[in-house]
Amino acid sequence: MATTTPTRGAHGSRPGRHAPKPMTARRQAWRSRLWRFDDKASPYAYIAPFFLVFGAFGLYPLVYTGWIALHRVEMTGLDQMEWVGWENFGNILQDSEFWTAVTNTFVIGVISTVPQLMIALGLAHLLNYKLRASTFWRTVILTPYATSVASAALVFALVFRADGGLLNWVLGFFGAGETNWANGHWSSNIAIAVIVIWRWTGYNTLIYLAAMQAVPSDLYEAASLDGASRWQQFRNVTIPSLRPTILFTIVISTIGSMQLFGEPLLLEGGQIGAQGGTEHQYETLSIYLYNYGWNLGHLGPAAAVAWAMLVLLLLIAAINWLIGRFVRKTAA
Amino acid sequence: MRITRTVAGRSRRTAVMATTGLTAAALLMTGCSDSGSDSDEADANGNITLTVADFGQFGYKEAGLFAKYHELHPNITVKENVTAQETVYYPKFLQQLNTGSGLADVQGIEVGRVKELVDTKADAFADLSKVVDPAQWVNWKALQASTDDGKVIGAGTDIGPMSICYRRDLFEQAGLPSDRTEVAAKFAGGWEDYLALGEAYKAKAPKGTFFMDSASAMYNGVVSSDSEQYYSKDGKAIYKDSAGVKAGWELAAQAVDKKLTQGLAQFSPPWQAALRKGTMATVACPAWMAAQISTYAGDEFKGKWDIARTPGTTAANWGGSFLSVPAKGKHVKEAGELVKWLTAPEQQAAVFKAAGLFPSNKGAYELPDVKTAKLEYFNNAPIGEIYAEEAKVIPAAVLGPKDGVIKDSISTQINNMEQRGTKPDDAWKAATEAIDKVIG
């Protein structure tokens, strides 16, 4: 705006230029109003495309999903919608499978996020030292993030396979018996968490590393002058400075684990994967939604699940915010 | 002053260009979707491309039928678009039917889905009874794709008459007869006899082998040989009381209890690996299964497998597909002609020869490619003869809209009994809960 405003001023009110034919007061007022409108409105026009796209591809589906959630709609007849009110929500809340999915999502979320962020913090700390070929290491650490979920999950499916899987083969050397990883509740959840950790640790490491490099070095100098060890520096300088970044990664990881889909789907693959295991032992909310909508063809309850997921995310966000506020307060 | 003016001028120009660019992009996008369908239209010489969308294996490529059709009709090129898994193919197909876009000229339909489409989507399909004579097919096959008022939405391709594939060498080692008529005689009385044979096998079985691959496959055989399965004639879901389902479930539970099964979900990687290792003595074997077995078991077991007639006096049908012509296609007439040709006796026989999919067209049974067909991998079993005999005694079963998903839910629970030792009652409860969710 700073550039355009003076230009217009120069055009409109250069003294003497239009002197022989002075503008009528009315016309001038109208013009200036138009310019003021232009000044005020154009920024909105410039950002409008994003909101139009968001409205069409973000907001509209969101609202329409909510509308579907209140109807009985079958995959076989999208044009026939029958109003059922809150029945779909009631049905999924009474479905034990839904609660299995909530538990699994939560469990996998915790056992993947917590170790993941801790490992990332440690790795970032190591990468923050003066290293030879540091760019190389930083690139290497990001490679798992660059692989697609599908290929990562397929490779890990081979690792965790019950019959002739790599992990069982290695464990066999130590005399451990064969474990059917996908079959057990905990073992399958751990298997999925491992895939998630493998993929996302590098990404979080780089975020932490960037934040660490923004920590002023005089803090460390002062600390080492005071005789603080590396570990004490990490605990008392690095971690407190990283607090906002840590909160950010927690939020991002929470959203990520809420939407966990590809890893459990592909752990066993096929029809079994689409149900989250034969006893839903690793079924996440996304899988539950997918199964309801695309396998069973009931779009109403599937839409209800989508909204339930949104509500859960908002709840978690609220808790996060409360914790964040608490942490900030105690820090101050 | 000048500087600011230039900057302003440039930024305005950029804005103009950006807007033009956006508009152009938008036009391009819409233009693309238009030209996408344009390619279906005939060019100046009247050349058209027919698209065929199907799943798994239909055998047309193996039999070279599309190339042959192009030779017979030089102005028509056929393109096939195959989705590996039917469970992926079908939801997409439904979406395309709903929106009316993205459909191929010819679309495959699996037998487990055909009733649902007959019930809910018949309007979306061209009536094939005007193009193809439904009387050509085995009678129950034609009924499956017909509406009450006689509209036919799909032309039958293959059927899956069921037999028992078994390992001659393992049977011999266990002291059982290995000749296919003698083996069939052992379970001529029905699936109970099959289990009894399993116990005899287990008593002297070579170490590390199992009588059957999975109890769910046997369950499928039992249910599919009954005329009453998951739905009654008036369209009610009766699976909880259906005699066929009950018998199948109880036999499956017995097989699990007696530890006759290896407990592998069919077609899963562990199942494929077990075939390669050769650990299962029998597999309930619809016609199309033979190709799967020979693929996964490999050369090592060539000639060691054999095929015996199904247990009992009625045969089971498992699987089989249809070819349909969506009514909104651009070349409905030409697509109908293609379907007629593909499902004619000669072509079905060619598919059987090339890919082992057994014809649903009765006319094909007398053709030499079917009648004298022998499967070298299966110790030269006369499969044409065996399956044609079985096709005759398959009962006309009532199909329901959710047959496929119901079957899958029950199979999953049978798998749980096998693999996790789930008690039959708990498994049945879990299965009914899952099914009620499907139907509900």
Side-chain angles (χ1 to χ4, degrees):
Chain A
M1 269 10 269
T3 53
T4 48
T5 319
T7 325
R8 282 191 196 118
H11 263 293
S13 52
R14 190 180 289 177
R17 187 123 190 229
H18 299 290
K21 245 179 161 189
M23 248 181 242
T24 61
R26 238 183 73 207
R27 207 171 150 200
Q28 215 162 14
W30 190 80
R31 265 205 164 176
S32 76
R33 223 182 302 144
L34 194 65
W35 284 329
R36 212 170 304 142
F37 174 74
D38 186 13
D39 271 358
K40 290 246 164 68
S42 1
Y44 293 102
Y46 295 148
I47 53 166
F50 168 76
F51 284 96
L52 287 178
V53 171
F54 171 75
F57 298 102
L59 194 64
Y60 172 71
L62 189 74
V63 174
Y64 189 57
T65 304
W67 183 241
I68 288 180
L70 302 173
H71 289 81
R72 184 193 305 282
V73 193
E74 292 302 297
M75 191 78 140
T76 47
L78 284 182
D79 40 348
Q80 297 143 22
M81 290 172 78
E82 184 193 331
W83 176 264
V84 293
W86 296 98
E87 192 188 305
N88 286 329
F89 287 93
N91 282 346
I92 61 162
L93 290 181
Q94 280 166 24
D95 185 2
S96 64
E97 199 182 324
F98 172 76
W99 295 107
T100 312
V102 171
T103 319
N104 283 339
T105 308
F106 186 72
V107 167
I108 297 176
V110 170
I111 63 175
S112 65
T113 306
V114 175
Q116 181 194 155
L117 295 184
M118 284 172 55
I119 297 169
L121 209 51
L123 280 175
H125 185 62
L126 291 180
L127 282 174
N128 204 19
Y129 285 127
K130 280 207 175 66
L131 278 179
R132 201 168 288 171
S134 62
T135 321
F136 170 75
W137 295 114
R138 287 170 195 174
T139 315
V140 165
I141 217 151
L142 198 66
T143 36
Y145 172 65
T147 51
S148 82
V149 203
S151 47
L154 286 175
V155 169
F156 275 95
L158 288 179
V159 172
F160 285 113
R161 226 169 73 181
D163 183 40
L166 185 67
L167 187 61
N168 277 344
W169 182 70
V170 172
L171 287 177
F173 275 119
F174 300 101
E178 284 207 342
T179 311
N180 195 340
W181 288 90
N183 234 346
H185 177 251
W186 277 103
S187 60
S188 61
N189 285 5
I190 289 171
I192 289 165
V194 166
I195 309 178
V196 176
I197 292 171
W198 182 79
R199 266 196 84 218
W200 289 92
T201 302
Y203 171 81
N204 287 311
T205 305
L206 280 203
I207 290 180
Y208 287 149
L209 183 61
M212 278 177 191
Q213 294 191 329
V215 178
S217 54
D218 11 339
L219 281 180
Y220 289 106
E221 274 165 32
S224 60
L225 280 180
D226 287 345
S229 67
R230 287 276 196 192
W231 172 242
Q232 280 168 329
Q233 287 178 27
F234 177 70
R235 258 189 49 196
N236 297 320
V237 180
T238 313
I239 299 276
S241 323
L242 252 54
R243 213 170 257 146
T245 317
I246 293 175
L247 205 65
F248 167 77
T249 53
I250 290 176
V251 171
I252 293 292
S253 307
T254 311
I255 295 175
S257 52
M258 196 69 181
Q259 296 170 336
L260 202 60
F261 179 68
E263 289 88 347
L265 182 78
L266 293 170
L267 186 66
E268 283 187 281
Q271 197 65 23
I272 300 176
Q275 296 166 17
T278 52
E279 278 192 334
H280 315 297
Q281 65 270 24
Y282 53 87
E283 180 169 32
T284 59
L285 278 168
S286 303
I287 297 265
Y288 180 70
L289 185 159
Y290 174 80
N291 190 34
Y292 234 134
W294 273 257
N295 270 342
L296 311 186
H298 304 319
L299 298 181
V305 177
W307 266 84
M309 284 168 76
L310 181 68
V311 171
L312 277 174
L313 260 184
L314 291 177
L315 268 179
I316 295 172
I319 294 171
N320 244 324
W321 179 76
L322 283 177
I323 293 176
R325 208 174 62 157
F326 178 72
V327 167
R328 264 196 301 277
K329 262 195 185 153
T330 44
Chain B
M1 213 27 82
R2 182 173 288 168
I3 293 172
T4 28
R5 199 185 287 177
T6 358
V7 169
R10 190 177 294 158
S11 76
R12 202 163 295 156
R13 204 179 309 138
T14 330
V16 170
M17 277 168 70
T19 327
T20 330
L22 274 176
T23 326
L27 283 175
L28 269 177
M29 273 155 80
T30 41
C32 271
S33 59
D34 275 346
S35 63
S37 40
D38 276 349
S39 68
D40 287 352
E41 252 154 42
D43 68 7
N45 304 322
N47 290 330
I48 59 168
T49 303
L50 289 178
T51 47
V52 176
D54 53 29
F55 46 87
Q57 193 190 34
F58 272 63
Y60 297 130
K61 207 165 110 201
E62 289 83 346
L65 288 183
F66 293 140
K68 202 173 164 198
Y69 196 72
H70 183 61
E71 270 170 38
L72 296 171
H73 307 266
N75 62 328
I76 294 176
T77 313
V78 184
K79 258 203 290 191
E80 190 185 23
N81 178 10
V82 188
T83 309
Q85 280 188 328
E86 202 275 338
T87 45
V88 176
Y89 167 86
Y90 185 66
K92 198 171 126 209
F93 180 36
L94 275 183
Q95 279 179 331
Q96 290 166 342
L97 280 176
N98 282 327
T99 56
S101 74
L103 286 164
D105 296 301
V106 176
Q107 291 265 356
I109 302 175
E110 215 267 335
V111 61
R113 317 281 196 180
V114 74
K115 176 70 176 162
E116 184 167 73
L117 292 177
V118 164
D119 282 355
T120 59
K121 289 270 163 221
D123 294 344
F125 293 98
D127 184 2
L128 290 174
S129 68
K130 291 177 181 130
V131 190
V132 198
D133 175 18
Q136 291 180 340
W137 303 309
V138 286
N139 70 320
W140 49 269
K141 182 82 175 173
L143 289 174
Q144 289 174 341
S146 308
T147 63
D148 290 340
D149 49 2
K151 182 178 178 177
V152 175
I153 68 162
T157 57
D158 60 318
I159 56 174
M162 177 118 64
S163 56
I164 299 289
C165 293
Y166 67 98
R167 285 269 304 280
R168 298 170 61 83
D169 54 330
L170 291 181
F171 268 46
E172 271 165 23
Q173 287 171 46
L176 298 173
S178 62
D179 176 75
R180 64 179 76 92
T181 42
E182 283 177 59
V183 170
K186 285 273 181 193
F187 41 66
W191 290 94
E192 292 82 2
D193 290 2
Y194 174 70
L195 283 190
L197 184 71
E199 285 185 275
Y201 175 85
K202 197 187 159 210
K204 289 168 76 181
K207 208 169 169 274
T209 67
F210 298 82
F211 182 61
M212 60 177 96
D213 56 340
S214 86
S216 57
M218 182 191 64
Y219 162 83
N220 225 335
V222 179
V223 177
S224 313
S225 58
D226 213 304
S227 59
E228 188 185 70
Q229 300 178 0
Y230 305 111
Y231 284 83
S232 67
K233 273 210 175 64
D234 49 355
K236 276 208 194 90
I238 51 152
Y239 71 95
K240 279 176 190 156
D241 309 303
S242 149
V245 174
K246 256 189 191 152
W249 181 266
E250 270 157 29
L251 285 167
Q254 275 181 45
V256 174
D257 189 44
K258 290 172 180 160
K259 299 195 166 48
L260 301 178
T261 141
Q262 193 166 359
L264 302 169
Q266 284 189 316
F267 318 113
S268 65
W271 180 80
Q272 294 166 2
L275 276 173
R276 198 152 46 243
K277 283 188 208 154
T279 55
M280 50 238 201
T282 69
V283 174
C285 213
W288 43 263
M289 184 71 90
Q292 302 262 334
I293 291 178
S294 52
T295 305
Y296 295 119
D299 284 343
E300 197 189 331
F301 295 104
K302 194 173 177 179
K304 291 181 177 168
W305 283 91
D306 208 327
I307 300 177
R309 269 204 66 176
T310 187
T313 48
T314 52
N317 178 67
W318 181 4
S321 298
F322 298 87
L323 289 180
S324 69
V325 177
K328 279 196 182 151
K330 288 224 162 145
H331 309 291
V332 172
K333 191 169 158 284
E334 290 86 351
E337 290 299 318
L338 174 65
V339 167
K340 183 182 180 179
W341 187 79
L342 285 174
T343 55
E346 293 75 22
Q347 279 64 250
Q348 289 206 348
V351 166
F352 178 59
K353 196 179 175 196
L357 300 171
F358 196 71
S360 60
N361 194 317
K362 286 181 284 187
Y365 299 165
E366 295 307 316
L367 297 177
D369 271 349
V370 177
K371 202 173 185 186
T372 61
K374 286 187 165 51
L375 213 50
E376 204 191 340
Y377 192 91
F378 288 80
N379 190 33
N380 285 318
I383 45 172
E385 218 174 281
I386 294 176
Y387 292 137
E389 282 297 306
E390 303 210 329
K392 280 185 206 156
V393 291
I394 293 173
V398 179
L399 290 189
K402 298 284 182 191
D403 276 347
V405 199
I406 296 177
K407 192 180 79 189
D408 287 345
S409 303
I410 292 180
S411 297
T412 302
Q413 291 309 323
I414 293 178
N415 243 297
N416 278 340
M417 292 198 288
E418 292 172 309
Q419 290 196 339
R420 312 156 157 271
T422 312
K423 297 233 160 51
D425 290 346
D426 296 340
W428 179 249
K429 197 169 153 261
T432 49
E433 272 173 16
I435 293 169
D436 287 340
K437 197 188 289 175
V438 172
I439 299 172

